[in-house]
DNA sequence: CTGCATCCGCCTCGATACTG
DNA sequence: CAGTATCGAGGCGGATGCAG
């Protein structure tokens, strides 16, 4: 007897979306796949506490709903987002950005993964702050490398290193996310030796501004795009 | 014995956000408050199936976390979003927009509320499509009125009616959301008498285009703002 | 080893009854 | 009207088993 899945039974876009991605762990699975294809074991490792059965069931359901698919690549087996799932990137990044403010100092027993730093950077990136510069900033977080490329007034995040970065930041995942959360000032982190910053001073300033880490210092970050207003 | 709240225990913005707004019903409560302050009873009515205890607990927790507060207004008692909660508007609207595609034809037993139509409009509004026009479009959905004002290249949604609307749409909530979901063509709805459209033809066209209902017809809607790209 | 399925204790959820 | 208290049902978390 096919168990009938729990639903809000509301004819509303949000309720419909939450029927799909509103269950426990689901958006965290999407988060992992936003950072690239992943195998079953990778997902288990990045989601400590999830039951193996739950992960399997979530994956199957998300595939049925067209949010993810089994990666077709030869030696790149595993799961990946479909285009439909990929369209969750923007809202999920914005929610991640919102949630950064709720992070306090890292607690014992709290898991951290270097690639979450990559996610944090993507959520902090404010494209409207990209100036006329044409340069890139590289980050090395616990062995996971990524960079931001500013080009033609657009700022984009990419995996891996880049050539001739205008700024190079080296740190551990915990420190990186703690800076993003606003609980740790990046320059304090340098002073305490937890972060290494190389590059021209102005470039460093631009990189920090691009991530909303300076200029407005402790003020709550706010995305520039206020698309819709309701009164 | 203070019960320790369930948490993902991950030092990550998204996990932190989901610890707050990831539980069942929570984002639907936020949805209701995005549409304006509401009393306890209003929320119960708009969230059929929620337990009274759950609603009370969610409200208390959201207030503790600074997402909502008890409305201070004299005769406007109830709950409302804080500024912090208000910053969930953009991502929540985008998720609602994403979920619209999953809505099929309205099912028996599915609840509909007129103000969800207002939400759908806000999620469908693509500000980049606002042209040079200076006009407004009025909607009357099962007695709930709202309008879109296009002015100075910006499109904003508002409650209530407007003066001299360039377009007036009158329909019921179910039909309205069904059109937004892409399952019902607005002109077919007019033909079948479920929707009444008044106004200059060009204005109607502009209004439909603004909501992504024509031009690309059945193609999946897509927000114009691709803020961050990851490769 | 990967990708699940099964089983079980527990906690959250959903519905109802009850109180200020 | 605005919640609190209570309790059964079911989803979740963890351990284990098993097929490819």
């Amino acid at each position: 007897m096919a168990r009938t899945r729990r639903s809000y039974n509301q004819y509303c876009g949000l309720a419909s979306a939450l029927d799909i991605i509103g269950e426990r762990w689901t958006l965290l699975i999407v988060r992992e796949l936003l950072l690239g294809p992943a195998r079953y074991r990778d997902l288990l490792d990045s989601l400590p506490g999830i039951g193996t059965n739950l992960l399997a069931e979530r994956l199957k359901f998300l595939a049925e709903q067209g949010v993810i698919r089994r990666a077709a690549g030869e030696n790149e087996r595993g799961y990946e987002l479909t285009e439909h799932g990929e369209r969750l990137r923007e809202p999920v990044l914005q929610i991640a950005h919102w949630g950064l403010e709720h992070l306090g100092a890292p607690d014992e027993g709290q898991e951290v993964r270097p690639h979450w730093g990559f996610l944090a950077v993507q959520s902090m990136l404010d494209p409207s702050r990209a100036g006329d510069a044409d340069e890139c900033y590289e980050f090395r977080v616990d062995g996971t490398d990524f960079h931001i490329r500013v080009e033609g007034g657009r700022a984009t995040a990419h995996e891996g290193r880049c050539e001739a970065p205008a700024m190079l930041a080296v740190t551990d995942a915990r420190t990186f996310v703690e800076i993003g959360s606003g609980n740790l000032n990046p320059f304090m982190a340098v002073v305490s030796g937890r972060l290494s910053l190389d590059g021209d001073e102005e470039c460093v300033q631009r990189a920090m501004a691009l991530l909303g880490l300076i200029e407005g210092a402790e003020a709550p970050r706010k995305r520039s795009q206020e698309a819709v207003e309701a009164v």
Side-chain angles (χ1 to χ4, degrees), chain A residues 117-118 121 135-141 143-150 156-171 176 195-199 203-204 207-208 210-211:
Chain A
F118 186 33
V121 156
E135 56 194 13
C136 66
Y137 315 113
E138 184 172 319
F139 301 84
R140 299 182 191 169
V141 180
T144 293
D145 304 338
F146 50 89
H147 64 277
I148 298 173
R149 177 174 302 279
V150 181
T156 51
H158 308 264
E159 277 188 294
R161 304 188 175 182
C162 61
E163 329 81 55
M167 184 208 71
L168 172 61
V170 181
T171 185
F176 193 89
L195 167 69
S196 138
L197 277 183
D198 283 316
C203 298
V204 172
M208 296 295 153
L210 189 60
L211 296 176

Side-chain angles (χ1 to χ4, degrees), chain A residues 29-40:
Chain A
I29 294 173
V30 171
R31 171 193 71 188
E32 294 301 314
L33 298 181
L34 280 174
L35 295 164
R39 326 234 339 209
Y40 189 86

Side-chain angles (χ1 to χ4, degrees), chain A residues 82-220:
Chain A
T82 62
E83 291 194 4
H84 186 230
E86 180 65 28
R87 274 197 267 119
L88 285 169
R89 178 181 296 275
E90 255 305 299
V92 168
L93 283 179
Q94 288 191 37
I95 289 177
H97 191 237
W98 184 86
L100 267 182
E101 297 177 34
H102 284 281
L103 284 176
D107 186 17
E108 301 303 321
Q110 271 188 317
E111 304 287 338
V112 196
R113 297 287 185 277
H115 61 270
W116 297 348
F118 186 33
L119 185 97
V121 156
Q122 292 180 54
S123 75
M124 294 161 69
L125 244 189
D126 186 339
S128 73
R129 289 172 181 255
D132 301 334
D134 185 356
E135 56 194 13
C136 66
Y137 315 113
E138 184 172 319
F139 301 84
R140 299 182 191 169
V141 180
D142 271 340
T144 293
D145 304 338
F146 50 89
H147 64 277
I148 298 173
R149 177 174 302 279
V150 181
E151 199 172 8
R154 291 180 59 90
T156 51
H158 308 264
E159 277 188 294
R161 304 188 175 182
C162 61
E163 329 81 55
M167 184 208 71
L168 172 61
V170 181
T171 185
D172 61 292
R174 205 171 289 267
T175 300
F176 193 89
V177 177
E178 192 171 358
I179 292 173
S181 74
N183 282 84
L184 178 60
N185 181 289
F187 303 108
M188 292 297 291
V190 171
V191 170
S192 61
R194 300 174 59 188
L195 167 69
S196 138
L197 277 183
D198 283 316
D200 187 64
E201 188 176 342
E202 289 189 3
C203 298
V204 172
Q205 295 265 345
R206 277 199 296 274
M208 296 295 153
L210 189 60
L211 296 176
L213 289 175
I214 57 177
E215 205 182 61
E218 200 159 343

